[in-house]
Amino acid sequence: MNGDAEKRDYVIKGIGVSPGIAIGKAYLFDRFDAKVSFYKLRDKSLVSKEIKRLRNALKESEHQLREIKNKLSELAGREPLYIIDVHIMILKDRMFLNHTVNYIKEMGVNAEWALRMTIDRYREIFEKVDDEYLRGRISDIRYVGQMILRNLAGEDREAIPPDVGERGIIIAVDLSPADTAQMMINKVLGFATDMGGKTSHTAIVARAVEIPAVVGLESITRVVKTNDDIIVDGSMGMVVVNPSPEMLRRYEYKKRHFEEDKEYFLRYAPLPAVTKDNYKVEIGGNIEFVEEIPSVLVHGADGIGLYRTEYIYINKEQLPTEEEHFDHYRRVVSAEGLRWATIRTFDLGGDKFFSDPKLAKEMNPQMGLRAIRLCLREVDLFKVQLRAIARASAFGKTRIMFPMISGIEELREAKRIFCEVKEELRRKGVAVGDDIEMGAMIEVPSAVMMAEELAKEVDFFSIGTNDLIQYALAIDRINERVTYLYEPLHPAVLKLIKHVVDVGHRRGIPVAMCGEMAGEPMYIMVLLGLEIDELSMNPLAIPKVKKMIRGSTLKESRELLERVMKFSSAAEIREFVTRIMRERFPGEFRLED
Ligand code: PEP
Ligand code: MG
């Protein structure tokens, strides 16, 4: 450890991508430090030998990747498998091979040296790419390059060593999904990386295997060394290096609490979300991947309230085919134990990147060409998805909803295209469900104002508070400098939500909420008072929310809401709600909540 990190309680902030606390010894996993020798070839006759060594190493790497893929297919979902396929594709890429062979021939260097040059060349090209997702793919190339280097050196494959064992916390620049799967086998406690964001592959796998993780720490590999004591707080997105005994005690308590909470609340998962005076709320699970369905079931959702289908695109090098879409949707709608599935058409753009060069970088992407706007611009792309949804609807109760509707034209146009697609399929004799419900996400203030008109066009509303708050309060949801203004209990936000629910009910359609607000225990009585019909949330949040709903009455929640609506500032509402909720549910809130 160096510099400030030698101090006790050195805290580094990053992005928490998988909740929970890990306390243990650091293991610096630095595959980029492989001991590789670089040398000039003594004479030209050695060139063909080097090329042969390179080809053998490529073959061996492919063989190893296929082995990892087999192992992974028994342990994890499909997502990591796709990523391994990408690694294999890089290995087999002709340009990758040709560049390296040319370096060997033209510069007379050994295969390792030539390979490093190829990787550096790719890195240079990728670093200049505007698209953040594409830029991130350099980690895949580096991973593959490192694997080839190890095979050239004849070393054993590097993996998370077994002796990291039960107490290890992995510290790395970046991790591949294969590394993360290995962590599962070795029962690694947690990990922290320099690179990555919420949608990085590492984050995706970490959440799926429930290992606490913080990414995007930028310099953690430079300040931590193997065997340092370390705490990873995946819930808060923080890493504490060299914790003092006092800090350690605090975190041991927090960790115990987190695990006890998880265990304790899980017993409420199978119970219905009904208040003491018999008011029933439907509970949905929000998912990004079909691999999350088992977790949705374990945590007690009635259905899928939001399937963020854009993730099908985000983890692909190429556009997904109709069959791929269909395969995902069929698995979601036909999942046993789930009564319905709400498939949201893709919401790309904003902070969700898409590797299509046609989409220029925008100044204000949150207000740019995203969601339904993009769908209606790229109708062919949209139709591929719509066809797959329509076909999947023959396999189970399907709801489709359109994101970021700002007025009636967009909704009518989306519906028209969907009906056209359904008709075409039926004409061809393809089975399509006949009770597909269509809904609009209400997440733009203009849609709130137009709720009366929109309600006539759809079967349900789903309020996306993440965006509704962003647009209503003019706060970019990914800008950490204004997060202090992001306030679900702002009176304007509550008035907007109330208006949507009132209009929906007057028009006889159910109103769901699928933004983060829906799964926040502190707001449960406010949400009950608002009489939202369905709350859809991150599956892990469901059991506690159910417990709290079961401990409340509709009557007291309505009374609470009535008082809340009389305040004119967010601060007053928060103060009031926090006080009441703490009194009402003394066991559910800790001091930091
Ligand atoms: C929302 O905006 O609240 C929502 C649920 O959609 P997303 O977070 O995917 O934008
Ligand atoms: Mg949204």
Side-chain angles (χ1 to χ4, degrees):
M1 197 190 303
N2 57 26
D4 285 348
E6 274 169 35
K7 289 189 220 140
R8 287 265 175 210
D9 294 341
Y10 184 69
V11 173
I12 316 176
K13 285 253 355 140
I15 306 164
V17 294
S18 184
I21 313 282
I23 303 173
K25 294 276 183 201
Y27 175 84
L28 201 60
F29 178 67
D30 194 355
R31 71 163 82 89
F32 300 110
D33 266 357
K35 308 256 176 303
V36 182
S37 48
F38 301 112
Y39 51 88
K40 287 250 181 200
L41 303 177
R42 268 192 326 275
D43 60 70
K44 285 273 175 206
S45 65
L46 294 172
V47 164
S48 58
K49 190 176 148 243
E50 281 310 294
I51 295 175
K52 192 156 173 233
R53 278 184 67 226
L54 175 68
R55 286 186 189 280
N56 287 342
L58 286 170
K59 246 192 241 142
E60 181 56 25
S61 306
E62 187 184 338
H63 172 72
Q64 289 164 358
L65 278 172
R66 291 201 189 279
E67 246 180 51
I68 293 175
K69 193 177 160 183
N70 285 342
K71 199 159 33 160
L72 261 175
S73 63
E74 290 157 20
L75 285 165
R78 284 188 172 209
E79 208 56 39
L81 300 185
Y82 293 135
I83 301 158
I84 306 277
D85 283 335
V86 171
H87 291 166
I88 295 174
M89 254 161 57
I90 298 169
L91 269 179
K92 298 179 83 120
D93 182 60
R94 287 223 72 78
M95 292 301 284
F96 191 83
L97 174 70
N98 289 350
H99 282 311
T100 316
V101 167
N102 282 347
Y103 287 135
I104 297 174
K105 281 187 190 157
E106 283 162 21
M107 300 183 57
V109 293
N110 70 339
E112 286 88 339
W113 193 335
L115 188 74
R116 266 283 161 85
M117 288 174 75
T118 306
I119 298 169
D120 283 352
R121 180 191 173 125
Y122 274 82
R123 197 185 50 223
E124 225 174 50
I125 297 170
F126 274 65
E127 271 168 4
K128 288 194 193 119
V129 175
D130 257 350
D131 182 298
E132 194 162 337
Y133 175 72
L134 266 186
R135 217 167 37 238
R137 302 288 53 79
I138 186 64
S139 64
D140 292 316
I141 294 178
R142 283 215 306 214
Y143 176 76
V144 171
Q146 211 58 38
M147 184 166 217
I148 307 169
L149 282 177
R150 277 198 304 274
N151 283 317
L152 277 168
E155 282 176 29
D156 279 347
R157 230 163 313 162
E158 184 175 357
I160 311 287
D163 62 0
V164 174
E166 295 274 335
R167 283 176 48 75
I169 292 178
I170 301 291
I171 308 297
V173 174
D174 195 11
L175 289 164
S176 77
D179 295 331
T180 318
Q182 187 70 32
M183 288 184 189
M184 205 172 8
I185 300 164
N186 291 359
K187 299 197 177 63
V188 158
L189 289 178
F191 66 83
T193 62
D194 287 343
M195 291 160 63
K198 268 216 155 52
T199 64
S200 68
H201 299 146
T202 312
I204 294 160
V205 181
R207 274 197 297 276
V209 299
E210 293 184 32
I211 295 178
V214 181
V215 304
L217 288 152
E218 291 175 10
S219 61
I220 183 119
T221 51
R222 270 178 275 137
V223 294
V224 170
K225 60 179 179 358
T226 296
N227 255 1
D228 281 343
D229 290 318
I230 198 154
I231 298 170
V232 170
D233 182 343
S235 310
M236 299 297 289
M238 268 168 44
V239 171
V240 187
V241 188
N242 205 9
S244 60
E246 162 63 19
M247 180 73 93
L248 210 55
R249 261 195 307 280
R250 255 179 34 214
Y251 265 99
E252 268 155 8
Y253 173 77
K254 216 177 151 183
K255 177 173 153 55
R256 244 191 345 266
H257 218 293
F258 179 85
E259 276 150 18
E260 282 165 9
D261 263 15
K262 225 164 90 173
E263 226 5 76
Y264 168 71
F265 288 114
L266 214 51
R267 70 184 70 166
Y268 291 89
L271 305 176
V274 190
T275 61
K276 288 198 273 187
D277 49 356
N278 255 334
Y279 176 73
K280 167 109 173 69
V281 185
E282 297 286 353
I283 300 291
N286 291 356
I287 60 165
E288 284 77 33
F289 307 103
V290 285
E291 284 76 14
E292 291 170 272
I293 293 173
S295 164
V296 169
L297 285 165
V298 166
H299 292 95
D302 300 307
I304 301 290
L306 168 65
Y307 177 13
R308 290 185 165 100
T309 61
E310 54 275 12
Y311 282 85
I312 299 176
Y313 299 80
I314 288 174
N315 280 295
K316 291 286 174 314
E317 299 290 305
Q318 274 157 5
L319 283 174
T321 62
E322 184 182 320
E323 284 316 302
E324 274 173 73
H325 278 287
F326 171 68
D327 178 47
H328 287 85
Y329 305 151
R330 190 183 46 77
R331 284 158 69 192
V332 173
V333 304
S334 61
E336 210 164 312
L338 295 175
R339 296 206 330 266
W340 80 91
T342 311
I343 303 177
R344 175 177 76 181
T345 57
F346 65 82
D347 181 1
L348 287 162
D351 60 332
K352 285 173 272 198
F353 323 111
F354 182 42
S355 47
D356 187 334
K358 270 188 290 190
L359 302 175
K361 203 171 159 68
E362 297 174 301
M363 275 288 272
N364 294 305
Q366 298 288 353
M367 292 200 267
L369 189 62
R370 65 171 275 216
I372 197 69
R373 302 167 181 185
L374 181 60
C375 297
L376 298 178
R377 169 77 72 93
E378 302 285 336
V379 176
D380 289 341
L381 202 66
F382 192 31
K383 279 187 170 173
V384 172
Q385 174 170 47
L386 294 179
R387 268 197 299 275
I389 297 174
R391 284 170 55 202
S393 69
F395 295 82
K397 178 69 190 155
T398 307
R399 293 182 189 161
I400 183 170
M401 70 178 174
F402 305 109
M404 219 184 154
I405 293 291
S406 66
I408 200 99
E409 299 92 335
E410 285 162 341
L411 181 58
R412 285 190 181 143
E413 185 59 4
K415 277 175 60 185
R416 188 191 63 73
I417 300 172
F418 187 49
C419 290
E420 195 180 291
V421 162
K422 278 192 301 187
E423 279 321 301
E424 267 171 35
L425 286 170
R426 285 196 177 114
R427 267 201 307 278
K428 287 185 193 153
V430 179
V432 173
D434 45 23
D435 59 347
I436 309 176
E437 289 177 20
M438 283 195 271
M441 282 199 74
I442 304 294
E443 49 183 352
V444 179
S446 59
V448 176
M449 301 315 293
M450 297 302 293
E452 285 281 352
E453 290 74 7
L454 295 172
K456 291 181 208 159
E457 301 274 337
V458 289
D459 302 305
F460 67 95
F461 281 155
S462 186
I463 306 175
T465 48
N466 304 340
D467 278 316
L468 186 60
I469 296 168
Q470 142 164 285
Y471 297 124
L473 303 183
I475 297 154
D476 184 345
R477 65 194 257 195
I478 61 165
N479 182 343
E480 69 284 356
R481 291 195 293 180
V482 288
T483 41
Y484 74 100
L485 290 170
Y486 195 90
E487 177 52 278
L489 294 180
H490 192 292
V493 173
L494 296 178
K495 282 181 189 179
L496 290 167
I497 297 172
K498 187 161 187 335
H499 179 71
V500 177
V501 181
D502 290 348
V503 171
H505 289 174
R506 213 168 41 243
R507 291 275 165 203
I509 61 169
V511 179
M513 177 183 281
C514 62
E516 293 304 301
M517 187 178 179
E520 181 48 66
M522 190 61 85
Y523 311 148
I524 288 306
M525 281 178 64
V526 172
L527 299 173
L528 282 173
L530 283 162
E531 292 179 53
I532 295 167
D533 304 283
E534 173 196 319
L535 297 172
S536 190
M537 63 201 78
N538 161 359
L540 300 182
I542 295 173
K544 187 167 180 178
V545 165
K546 278 195 169 177
K547 175 173 192 292
M548 294 179 70
I549 291 177
R550 294 174 63 83
S552 314
T553 63
L554 177 61
K555 183 168 175 293
E556 61 175 337
S557 303
R558 277 184 179 147
E559 283 162 9
L560 175 112
L561 183 73
E562 207 175 302
R563 293 177 66 186
V564 161
M565 296 310 270
K566 291 204 174 96
F567 291 112
S568 51
S569 81
E572 285 166 305
I573 299 179
R574 179 156 292 278
E575 206 266 323
F576 175 70
V577 171
T578 308
R579 184 166 55 76
I580 299 286
M581 292 302 278
R582 281 188 194 287
E583 280 169 18
R584 192 62 190 67
F585 299 96
E588 324 307 1
F589 298 102
R590 274 167 288 144
L591 242 47
E592 62 265 36
D593 287 333

